[in-house]
Amino acid sequence: MADRTVRAPAPPAAPLVTSRSLDEYCELFGLTRAGIAALPGPLLDCPGGAAALVAEARPLGCRVVAADPVYARPAEEITARALAARAAMAAAMAARPDLYPARRQRRPEHYLRGWDRARLLFAADRAAHPGQYVAAALPRLPFADGTFALTLSGYLVFAYPELFGPERRLAALAELVRVTAPGGEVRIHPLNDGEGRRSTGLDAVRHALGERRISSEIRVLAPTDRGDRARRVLVLRRVGHHR
Ligand SMILES: C[S@@+](CC[C@H](N)C(=O)[O-])C[C@H]1O[C@@H](n2cnc3c(N)ncnc32)[C@H](O)[C@@H]1O
């Protein structure tokens, strides 16, 4: 007989807690160390995950605040989730080489050792400077309007469409703009989901942002290594404040 039990849908998977280096952030968002050092104010990284950005930008003279709900959890749990993310990334690079840049494919262990270094830097830095790691979740952040000169948001709002449907995504993007200075900008990457599919809601969310007087631009970054694909970054600004 057919099984007619009605099962509740599985809850959406929790996002991976990834451990990227400052150099990887620069690659993903089209930044340079010199540009970060020259920022006229603090930088927000939301979500910060287990990245080394806060630690590695400090010697450049840049104050970075990382915000992520995972910072409410104990250090051991964050480390365990970061190690699980490393294992998931290793498996994904093996299973779907088409989704990852050729350079990483050639030397996956080399790439992942960069994550190991970033994870260790993150853990030591968070223990020494806990005030720069704020437990907070989009679409509501505990920062005053216009606090940050630059805001980065990697691998969340478009990467996890099951967590950020159209309304929540719009609210999250508007919140990132709210906490960014009027002359500053918000950069979001990637604009694909975890399977590499282009976000279907991109035009609609850009239109809705425009109605809130937020301008949007898709900046295409040139490939950084042979076989790599061009990267698309969504850049948001308050209307009337172009640099
Ligand atoms: C794939 S990681 C991205 C981290 C980092 N931006 C990077 O590019 O490596 C996704 C992160 O989003 C965080 N996260 C989950 N829900 C969130 C929310 N509502 N607001 C902010 N961060 C969230 C998770 O805890 C996780 O650390």
Side-chain angles (χ1 to χ4, degrees):
M1 215 169 91
D3 177 4
R4 294 186 187 279
T5 314
V6 177
R7 292 188 176 83
L16 298 173
V17 179
T18 44
S19 317
R20 299 180 206 278
S21 65
L22 169 62
D23 285 338
E24 189 170 0
Y25 266 82
C26 285
E27 222 174 87
L28 295 177
F29 290 101
L31 296 167
T32 60
R33 285 175 177 250
I36 288 175
L39 282 174
L43 187 162
L44 173 65
D45 181 27
C46 179
L53 183 63
V54 179
E56 291 188 288
R58 190 176 301 108
L60 302 178
C62 179
R63 180 176 161 80
V64 181
V65 174
D68 194 305
V70 84
Y71 301 151
R73 309 303 305 161
E76 303 72 39
E77 183 179 325
I78 299 177
T79 297
R81 288 189 58 188
L83 286 167
R86 185 201 196 279
M89 178 54 99
M93 285 197 296
R96 292 290 310 271
D98 53 308
L99 292 182
Y100 299 94
R103 188 178 58 182
R104 279 182 218 169
Q105 280 311 312
R106 282 195 297 274
R107 303 182 65 197
E109 265 312 307
H110 176 83
Y111 172 65
L112 291 169
R113 275 199 296 279
W115 278 34
D116 293 336
R117 180 179 163 277
R119 186 183 66 247
L120 294 172
L121 278 172
F122 159 81
D125 195 68
R126 180 164 170 263
H129 303 275
Q132 281 175 259
Y133 296 86
V134 177
L138 286 167
R140 191 64 51 90
L141 298 176
F143 306 115
D145 293 3
T147 302
F148 300 98
L150 175 66
T151 295
L152 305 178
S153 186
Y155 290 93
L156 184 64
V157 288
F158 291 101
Y160 290 93
E162 63 282 17
L163 293 180
F164 285 86
E167 279 180 26
R168 195 168 148 86
R169 177 186 294 159
L170 174 62
L173 295 175
E175 181 70 348
L176 292 166
V177 173
R178 181 189 70 75
V179 301
T180 304
E185 61 184 37
V186 177
R187 297 188 190 190
I188 296 119
H189 176 80
L191 309 182
N192 297 335
D193 68 13
E195 295 295 314
R197 292 179 293 243
R198 285 199 171 198
S199 171
T200 48
L202 188 54
D203 290 344
V205 81
R206 290 182 70 192
H207 180 77
L209 288 165
E211 290 179 336
R212 293 180 177 214
R213 299 189 54 75
I214 296 170
S215 74
S216 64
E217 170 201 342
I218 295 180
R219 203 170 283 167
V220 180
L221 306 181
T224 52
D225 39 35
R226 224 160 16 104
D228 195 359
R229 283 168 307 191
R231 252 183 280 273
R232 298 186 311 149
V233 175
L234 181 65
V235 181
L236 305 180
R237 291 188 209 88
R238 295 188 203 187
V239 169
H241 287 280
H242 288 260
R243 284 204 278 215

